[in-house]
Amino acid sequence: MEFIKIENLFFRYDEGEEDQPKNENYVIRDLSLSINKGDFVAIVGHNGSGKSTVAKHLNAMLIPSMGKVYIDGMDTADEALSYDIRRKVGLVLQNPDNQLVAGIVEEDVAFGPENLGIAPDEIRERVDEALKAVDMYEHRLKAPHKLSGGQKQRVAIAGIIAMKPDCIVLDEPTAMLDPKGRQEVLDTIHKLNRENGITVVMITHYMEEAVTADKVYVVDDGRLLTSGTPYEVFSQVELLKKHRLDVPQATELCYKLRACGVKIDRLPLFENECCALLREVLA
Amino acid sequence: MRDVTLGQYFPCDSVLHRLDPRLKIVSLIGFIVLTFCTFNYFSLAVVVATVIAAVLLSRVPVKMYLKSLKVIIIIVIITSLLNLFYGQGEPIFEWWIFKVTWAGIHNAIFVCLRIVCLILFSSVLTFTTSPNDLTDALERLMKPLTIFHIKVHEIAMMMTIALRFVPTLLEETDKIMAAQKARGADMESGSLVSRVKALIPVLVPLFVSSFRRAYELAVAMECRCYQGGKGRTRMKQLKLKKRDYISIAICLLAIAGVVLCNIFLPQIH
Amino acid sequence: MSLLSARDLVYTYSQGMPTEHIAVDHLDFDIEQGDFVGVIGHTGSGKSTLVQMLNGLLKPTAGTIKLDGVDIWAKPKEIRKIRFRVGLVFQYPEYQLFEETVAKDIAFGPSNMGLDAEEIENRVYNAAKFVGLKHELLEKSPFDLSGGEKRRAAIAGVIAMDPDILILDEPCAGLDPVGRDILLSQIYHYHKERGNTVILVSHSMEDVATVCDRVMVMNHSKLTMFDTAQNIFSRGEELGKMSLRVPQITSIVDSLIEEGIPLEKGVLTVDKAVLEITEFLKKEGRL
């Protein structure tokens, strides 16, 4: 079932200033994609490619200039629906410091459910559950500024899942974290997708993160460049390089070896896979 | 700079720490009024006994209380002296423009003890109640004020966010200061004017980043379905427990004590 | 004589308090003129404290740091002079921009040094060139630049002081792959052209492996290794124990070596790995 459907999305920022000449520079140009319930999708592209703008369209924080975005059948352009849309699609932002509201972890996680007007006992349950799901339960009484970046970001994720959304959209959730924090956050997102069946849309420029998704959309200059499974996408090494995007070193190595005439029939994404492949070739 | 906390919350486990914060605020107001309604030494003694009991019950080191008294010691001395030298009635002795009377001595003692009690009562509240609990309790206590169109929820939300971001901004100030010092900024020497000027490279980035943070926080709050106080519930429910009722009884007892002493025992002057 | 040498260097936070902890624990090392040194270690290993001591922002609790053989704290009143000679670029340096124009902001360091107007202008121009900031951007407000441009403007602000040693703390944090590659190559060219010493603190093993000659490994406040990049990254197992990893390419080649394929240990770049493998195949006559 299609949960998110974007149809020919165009977007530019200075809409509405009628007397000004309209800026023809769309940030997003004719982008279409659809995401099914339970999917783990990565949207990749470099800074300024428009990928974060796409993220903000998914929970009606931005409204299309042209085209349509449907969330579970609801049109995001309908302002009356934006509250319901935000209940279904939670957005986690890049800087964990600037999205935590309360001075105590558990109270911050409760912020969303409180806004939804849920009964106190149930909020308590949801908060505990959410904190356990991101493995932050033992830190529930701490102040956010005493936590590491990865921990703060996991609290932010707990704050979203306590609202019981069907989908979480993460806008470069690991860009400001160290490798350990990045791994923690990535593991948490995968666990939520696997065990709780939450649809995940992750915006990232780290290719190592994108390769773990079910499906990858590559955005460049506001357009959809290519999409498919990670294997389909990252085998197009030339196209990605041309648009100044990275591929994992494992993929790049095999790609370059193939260019030198070494017989490699398919390009690997992961280290183990690459090792196994090269073992066969070199043995 | 990183460990600065607002108020002077002293985390430890005592009966007073566990009391309902609303009750603590109301009793503080009650005791402050009571302190100024002491008209003889007996009622003053009741108030002083209450304050000593509260200080001991809080299990916060007495040293901490002395520290908070140190700040106002000068005010206490000056007001006591003024009262001492400018009392009404028959002078006990006179020297130059100073004359000391019995009334003056009594006034000085009363003023001094009242101010000390006032500070101690307030310190008991701030030492035993975390800033978060304090805001929370204030919001609930001020709720009736909504009928006067006072935006109680908004005020409380602002306080919560301020408390949340104080440590973050302090940390950021540290970082920016270090970064500008690394570029040769001199913040420790020079005249007052040049020192104020030296703050510009710190304040401008701090303002810019605060606006950025505010913007991002607003987006994050909207993403989490924040729509103001309407229809909002709270996870933490404050319910009065047995210990709260007992402390209400003790407070009432103290109040009754003061009132009875005032009425039935002789006035000093 | 080394350019920069640390002897028995210690830094303790909140000394004498219950929260006391040692951030830098008895370090000894020498850095030579013209070195490009990488500093790696997990968060909280003491890297940031170390670099802040190297330019005199933090005063060591014990031990000495010598620059050109002179203790940097010999004259505490002149510590600013040390900061001009050992330039430090903090993490997310774009958050320190404050002037009306980019040019004025870059000039902040040089004018604190008391240089004359002409010299300052020269330095601003050159520093902007090194980090690839277009000339027309110099008269813009720093707050109107893009994220990547802001970062480069901030780095230019330190380069303009023309330090003998340039220290960069996570200069590529938060940049996308393109931004990272461009910035790294600019830093590398700056180093080559000026022959300056550069110290790069980074979480990215790939970045360190690409540009650094020598690598320092910090673990729990101690300096555990200090060697050439190739030697450091051929000790993947030990690094793993400190929750550090080696670049993916290094570990792929390592595991092939374990399988008995005779390749060189400590390969740091994809191109080098391609070369190694094709040479091996050619030697075997299979290519």
Side-chain angles (χ1 to χ4, degrees), chain A residues 81 94 228 270:
Chain A
L81 294 174
Q94 187 188 81
F270 302 98

Side-chain angles (χ1 to χ4, degrees), chain A residues 97-98 107-108 115 118, chain B residues 164 213 224 232-233 236:
Chain A
D97 253 328
N98 298 348
E107 285 187 15
D108 184 80
N115 291 333
I118 288 160
Chain B
R164 151 76 185 83
R213 285 180 192 282
R224 290 165 78 180
R232 212 173 122 76
T233 47
K236 259 199 199 154

Side-chain angles (χ1 to χ4, degrees), chain C residues 12 62 67 109 116 147 167 246:
Chain C
T12 314
L67 185 61
D116 60 62
I167 307 179
V246 298

Side-chain angles (χ1 to χ4, degrees), chain B residues 13-132:
Chain B
D13 192 30
S14 80
V15 192
L16 293 189
H17 281 80
R18 274 175 282 152
L19 283 185
D20 190 312
R22 291 173 301 175
L23 177 64
K24 283 191 268 188
I25 293 175
V26 174
S27 352
L28 171 69
I29 297 168
F31 280 129
I32 287 175
V33 175
L34 204 61
T35 310
F36 287 94
C37 294
T38 46
F39 301 123
N40 58 28
Y41 280 109
F42 303 102
S43 52
L44 188 63
V46 174
V47 170
V48 170
T50 321
V51 119
I52 291 173
V55 166
L56 293 179
L57 274 175
S58 71
R59 293 173 74 179
V60 175
V62 176
K63 212 167 68 188
M64 297 285 295
Y65 287 102
L66 294 180
K67 246 190 214 164
S68 59
L69 282 178
K70 218 165 85 185
V71 186
I72 52 116
I73 195 83
I74 302 206
I75 302 174
V76 173
I77 291 174
I78 290 174
T79 44
S80 310
L81 285 180
L82 284 177
N83 276 289
L84 185 65
F85 294 131
Y86 296 100
Q88 303 287 317
E90 270 307 289
I92 307 171
F93 75 85
E94 230 168 324
W95 177 73
W96 193 32
I97 55 164
F98 302 110
K99 63 174 188 189
V100 175
T101 64
W102 274 117
I105 292 174
H106 295 314
N107 276 344
I109 291 172
F110 268 80
V111 164
C112 167
L113 283 179
R114 276 173 182 167
I115 297 177
V116 169
C117 287
L118 183 87
I119 297 302
L120 288 180
F121 274 130
S122 319
S123 305
V124 170
L125 178 74
T126 52
F127 283 149
T128 64
T129 321
S130 74
N132 288 301

